[in-house]
Amino acid sequence: MLEKYPFLSTGKAALGDAGLASVGAADVDAAARRVAATIAVASGAESPSLAQSARQAVQDYALSRVLLALLGSDYYWQKFAKGEAVRAAECLRKAPGDLPAVARDFFPSIAFDASGLQAEIPVAEFLQQGGELPAGGLQQGKVFLSHEELLAALRKAVFRKALSPLSLPRDLPELFKSAAASLRSSLPKPVQQESFKGKYLALACVRSILAGAAEGKRYYASMSLAIACRKDGLQLEAAREVMAGFAAACQTGSRPFTEREALASLEWVYKRNINFSCKFQREHGLADLPDCANCTLRAERRAAAVSAARREGRA
């Protein structure tokens, strides 16, 4: 089981008491390959064969999370967690007999009906794993799920577990840091703004932001970029990729601007309806570029103002 589902709680026993100090370069390289392969699965690639011992699978999974923590990239960690969830769901479809054991690891009180096609889970356990209550599927404090609904709930639970925070020891061997640096250079970069078409993302001041912002301007730049993404109608996942590219471009100065900070701006903006403000751009040193003289948004707004004034004059 663990060779297919290394995130299961029984994995700790398979690893034993060996710490990170006993890990060698070959082990770290294997973990880096797993990170790359899993991120590829999240982007639609076919799941590679992971035939290996249970202990090796658990070790690769655990070390993968260490490397991801060193990368400090929410973008890659989200992709990794999605890939693990996709792979687990595929394994469960191919081997439905694994379903009860995997489900009980997340939902200890789960019970199946005689057909094995419907499950019931106490509401508290279901919600603890991030589940969303299905319409009409709640009775007497329990959630009733079809086979497909249970697979969806497990996919979300695996995603959340793979994404859970990890604290790194201070005495982490140097080979992990060098492996993380090599891994970062080999992973596919976040999709750049040029891949998305939109009026606001095409503005000169926004293109300048995407190239990176100086310290003292990065928060305001992240807000403007988030507003541009929302005004251009980007789905949240696509906007996250744009913000990840911006955060990567800001990794200069005495204090890095993290993806977590950039994504916090994005999440805040996407819950609201905020207009893109040229005044805000100028006030925070994000505009007044030479290209602003030919800004299409500026011209559009001036034309609208002139048209409104003429209408008022006729009134």
Side-chain angles (χ1 to χ4, degrees), residues 122-156:
V123 171
E125 286 185 12
F126 183 71
L127 295 178
Q128 189 175 15
Q129 296 296 339
E132 297 180 5
L133 297 178
L138 178 63
Q139 298 177 29
Q140 298 179 337
K142 294 183 179 180
V143 179
F144 290 83
L145 303 175
S146 67
H147 180 73
E148 287 300 318
E149 289 171 334
L150 177 57
L151 283 176
L154 285 172
R155 179 168 167 167
K156 178 177 286 189

Side-chain angles (χ1 to χ4, degrees), residues 7 38 42 61 65 68 74-89 102 106 129-130 151-165 237 240 267:
F7 47 79
T38 303
Y61 175 79
R65 286 176 27 87
L68 286 162
D74 286 343
Y75 171 77
Y76 290 127
W77 207 320
Q78 290 264 350
K79 288 286 189 182
F80 174 82
K82 179 181 177 181
E84 287 291 338
V86 169
R87 180 185 288 136
V102 175
F106 293 99
Q129 296 296 339
L151 283 176
L154 285 172
R155 179 168 167 167
K156 178 177 286 189
V158 172
F159 175 85
R160 285 163 54 88
K161 190 166 187 176
L163 197 61
S164 61
E237 185 170 351
R240 286 189 179 117
E267 299 288 345

Side-chain angles (χ1 to χ4, degrees), residues 65-227:
R65 286 176 27 87
V66 172
L67 292 176
L68 286 162
L70 283 171
L71 287 180
S73 169
D74 286 343
Y75 171 77
Y76 290 127
W77 207 320
Q78 290 264 350
K79 288 286 189 182
F80 174 82
K82 179 181 177 181
E84 287 291 338
V86 169
R87 180 185 288 136
E90 289 178 356
C91 289
L92 288 170
R93 289 188 185 280
K94 294 175 182 176
D98 295 345
L99 185 61
V102 175
R104 287 192 179 95
D105 202 64
F106 293 99
F107 309 111
S109 304
I110 191 171
F112 293 87
D113 66 1
S115 69
L117 298 178
Q118 180 168 295
E120 59 181 64
I121 305 170
V123 171
E125 286 185 12
F126 183 71
L127 295 178
Q128 189 175 15
Q129 296 296 339
E132 297 180 5
L133 297 178
L138 178 63
Q139 298 177 29
Q140 298 179 337
K142 294 183 179 180
V143 179
F144 290 83
L145 303 175
S146 67
H147 180 73
E148 287 300 318
E149 289 171 334
L150 177 57
L151 283 176
L154 285 172
R155 179 168 167 167
K156 178 177 286 189
V158 172
F159 175 85
R160 285 163 54 88
K161 190 166 187 176
L163 197 61
S164 61
L166 178 68
S167 297
L168 295 176
R170 293 183 179 180
D171 58 344
L172 193 67
E174 185 62 34
L175 67 91
F176 282 94
K177 299 175 184 178
S178 59
S182 298
L183 177 61
R184 179 184 286 277
S185 65
S186 68
L187 291 174
K189 300 300 182 285
V191 176
Q192 296 300 308
Q193 172 261 339
E194 287 80 4
S195 300
F196 302 104
K197 304 297 182 183
K199 178 171 72 174
Y200 293 90
L201 286 170
L203 295 174
C205 58
V206 177
R207 292 200 305 271
S208 178
I209 286 172
L210 281 158
E215 287 187 68
K217 298 181 181 180
R218 297 178 298 191
Y219 166 72
Y220 303 109
S222 70
M223 291 293 290
S224 290
L225 182 56
I227 293 169

